[in-house]
Amino acid sequence: MMMLCIATIAGCSHKPPEKPVPVIPPTAEKAPQPMRGVWLTTVSRLDWPPVASVRAAPQQRIEMQKRAMTDKLDNLVRLGVNTVFFQVKPDGTALYHSAILPWSEVLTGTVGEDPGYDPLAFVLQEAHKRGLKVHAWLNPYRVTMNTRPATVAALEHTRYNSPSSVWVTHRDWIRIASDRYVLDPGLPEVRDWITSVVTELLERYNVDGIQFDDYFYYETPQSPLDDTQTWRRYGQAYADKASWRRNNTLLLIKQVSTAIKAKKPAVEFGVSPAGVWRNQSDDPRGSDTRGAAAYDQASADTRQWVALGLLDYIAPQLYWPFSREVARYDELARWWARVVKPTHTRLYIGVALYKVGTPSRTEPDWTIEEGVPELKRQLDLNDKVPEISGTILFREDYLNQPQNAAAVNYLRSRWGH
């Protein structure tokens, strides 16, 4: 009331100004481009490098490997792919210059032999030149793909190299699981070591992301992981071994996530787990599926990692068609969308390019019209559900297989420039 009187005495007009002060809207952020990614596998030379290159003379080998990689990158650009998930640590070795890991045998045929160039540095240079992002894809615990005497001899031979294999430097960390040598996830020293591998990568290379695959506690009934001694030493505060194991994987993810954010916060950290977290029959929060579950099989509570904000993205492997009753693609895609919705974690869906065009008694949709309708249904759903931020194809070499020709043409028409 007092303010009104003062305004009247002063002869102020109540008319609005002739030109209202413009309201400047906040700068609109450019919507991020959907993920259009491909996993490029190096374990067993599945996608790269060419097997023939390993038998060539050193300079020819280097040229063959570089040419094969640039050909692949050029093809990915034509296809409309924007991100390569390059497997830089397929086991206990590296496809980059490391003071922790010996050189991978996939490059030269010999563990620890310098390939004469740095594959990761080369991929980063050539991919970034083409506008492609590169995520360094690591298998955290695997040391070897088998337990054959020749494999052991090759690891033992690295004791004369620098760096030596973890087999030589920390033999007490090594266990057998799924007929492979692996690191024991229950040992704090192992988690520290894996974190140091990631930290070194960030210090030496301008990668756009770090990704772990789904091999956490990876065992089979025929070849289980014997971690009884570790469990007795570290697990007595837990009700059961399964809970202790899940906490071990949680501790690893927490430690690596913290290290990445401290070292290079702009680098994205993600995991590509098995597609089923848990089945509804075992947990009401689970999906309406009957598949092998990461929570139970791999001791990986991936849903919890998302809820805790430890991941920038999660890329579940939904490698089934819409009609696969035990694990329907649409059921799982929508379930994961609900999981990430209240969080800041992006959701990318892993799609089974490797199944397209391949006859299957249980999944015939992959061959109907060469698999294109099924692929289209999956990509359409990924585009339709707001919480899904893109697609990653498994794996690169299937872009070059005859049975995938129609699917690749479809992808090019959908994603390509």
Side-chain angles (χ1 to χ4, degrees), residues 356-357 370 397-408:
V356 174
E370 298 177 89
D397 193 53
Y398 283 90
L399 295 170
N400 311 306
Q401 299 300 319
Q403 72 271 20
N404 296 88
V408 170

Side-chain angles (χ1 to χ4, degrees), residues 49-112:
V51 175
S53 70
V54 180
R55 296 189 291 269
Q59 193 54 44
Q60 186 185 11
R61 168 177 50 75
I62 293 170
E63 291 171 3
M64 288 175 68
Q65 292 181 1
K66 286 184 172 183
R67 172 58 63 86
M69 179 58 73
T70 54
D71 286 349
K72 287 179 182 297
L73 296 176
D74 286 340
N75 186 48
L76 295 180
V77 169
R78 287 191 294 269
L79 195 65
V81 166
N82 55 34
T83 307
V84 180
F85 295 82
F86 180 44
Q87 192 174 35
V88 300
K89 182 186 175 294
D91 45 32
T93 63
L95 281 88
Y96 57 91
H97 192 270
S98 171
I100 303 171
L101 305 171
W103 285 106
S104 176
E105 63 86 24
V106 304
L107 298 166
T108 63
T110 302
V111 178

Side-chain angles (χ1 to χ4, degrees), residues 40 42 48 65-66 68-70 72-73 76 84-88 95 107 117-136 205-208:
L40 202 157
T42 59
W48 184 90
Q65 292 181 1
K66 286 184 172 183
M69 179 58 73
T70 54
K72 287 179 182 297
L73 296 176
L76 295 180
V84 180
F85 295 82
F86 180 44
Q87 192 174 35
V88 300
L95 281 88
L107 298 166
Y117 75 113
D118 187 326
L120 177 55
F122 180 75
V123 169
L124 284 166
Q125 175 185 322
E126 295 298 321
H128 286 165
K129 187 192 302 183
R130 291 163 172 78
L132 296 166
K133 291 184 177 181
V134 178
H135 287 223
Y205 297 92
N206 187 29
V207 296
D208 300 290

Side-chain angles (χ1 to χ4, degrees), residues 74-390:
D74 286 340
N75 186 48
L76 295 180
V77 169
R78 287 191 294 269
L79 195 65
V81 166
N82 55 34
T83 307
V84 180
F85 295 82
F86 180 44
Q87 192 174 35
V88 300
K89 182 186 175 294
D91 45 32
T93 63
L95 281 88
Y96 57 91
H97 192 270
S98 171
I100 303 171
L101 305 171
W103 285 106
S104 176
E105 63 86 24
V106 304
L107 298 166
T108 63
T110 302
V111 178
E113 182 177 337
D114 190 326
Y117 75 113
D118 187 326
L120 177 55
F122 180 75
V123 169
L124 284 166
Q125 175 185 322
E126 295 298 321
H128 286 165
K129 187 192 302 183
R130 291 163 172 78
L132 296 166
K133 291 184 177 181
V134 178
H135 287 223
W137 163 24
L138 299 84
N139 185 297
Y141 293 116
R142 187 164 63 206
V143 177
T144 65
M145 288 293 289
N146 59 67
T147 58
R148 292 195 293 261
T151 299
V152 173
L155 296 179
E156 284 289 346
H157 191 72
T158 67
R159 72 174 58 252
Y160 306 108
N161 302 341
S162 181
S164 302
S165 168
V166 67
W167 169 275
V168 170
T169 58
H170 298 289
R171 183 68 183 86
D172 54 318
W173 297 355
I174 310 292
R175 308 285 182 264
I176 293 176
S178 193
D179 298 313
R180 300 164 185 186
Y181 289 116
V182 299
L183 297 170
D184 187 339
L187 295 172
E189 309 95 292
V190 165
R191 295 191 290 272
D192 291 344
W193 184 83
I194 294 170
T195 305
S196 73
V197 169
V198 173
T199 302
E200 182 193 50
L201 255 176
L202 296 178
E203 289 171 344
R204 296 189 175 198
Y205 297 92
N206 187 29
V207 296
D208 300 290
I210 297 286
Q211 183 183 103
F212 285 170
D213 55 28
D214 57 325
Y215 291 86
F216 294 102
Y217 276 89
Y218 190 70
E219 59 185 356
T220 62
Q222 297 76 28
S223 181
L225 174 73
D226 183 3
D227 56 354
T228 303
Q229 292 300 321
T230 316
W231 155 243
R232 286 175 181 164
R233 183 177 178 187
Y234 294 106
Q236 297 311 300
Y238 294 84
D240 50 58
K241 185 188 269 193
S243 300
W244 170 72
R245 281 183 166 191
R246 279 190 294 275
N247 190 64
N248 291 332
T249 53
L250 171 63
L251 290 174
L252 174 72
I253 298 300
K254 276 184 175 178
Q255 192 168 331
V256 171
S257 178
T258 300
I260 292 172
K261 294 314 166 196
K263 183 68 65 174
K264 281 189 179 177
V267 171
E268 298 180 34
F269 178 42
V271 174
S272 56
V276 177
W277 170 70
R278 292 201 87 187
N279 296 296
Q280 219 169 64
S281 57
D282 296 315
D283 191 318
R285 299 170 299 172
S287 50
D288 184 12
T289 51
R290 299 187 299 280
Y295 182 99
D296 303 292
Q297 259 71 34
S299 300
D301 190 350
T302 50
R303 180 181 179 276
Q304 181 188 36
W305 305 346
V306 172
L308 292 176
L310 301 175
L311 305 176
D312 295 297
Y313 69 89
I314 193 161
Q317 303 167 30
L318 305 193
Y319 294 164
W320 306 278
F322 272 61
S323 64
R324 186 78 163 119
E325 281 303 315
V326 297
R328 295 195 325 274
Y329 183 91
D330 55 330
E331 159 66 19
L332 281 164
R334 294 184 188 280
W335 184 89
W336 278 106
R338 292 192 295 272
V339 168
V340 303
K341 187 171 184 176
T343 76
H344 295 293
T345 304
R346 287 181 293 283
L347 172 59
Y348 307 138
I349 303 293
V351 166
L353 181 66
Y354 73 99
K355 288 186 174 181
V356 174
T358 302
S360 168
R361 182 180 58 81
T362 55
E363 300 179 3
D365 300 73
W366 295 115
T367 52
I368 296 172
E369 295 180 42
E370 298 177 89
V372 173
E374 178 61 33
L375 181 60
K376 180 180 185 301
R377 275 192 293 270
Q378 297 190 7
L379 297 181
D380 284 349
L381 182 64
N382 293 358
D383 287 347
K384 178 183 176 183
V385 177
E387 292 79 20
I388 297 176
S389 299

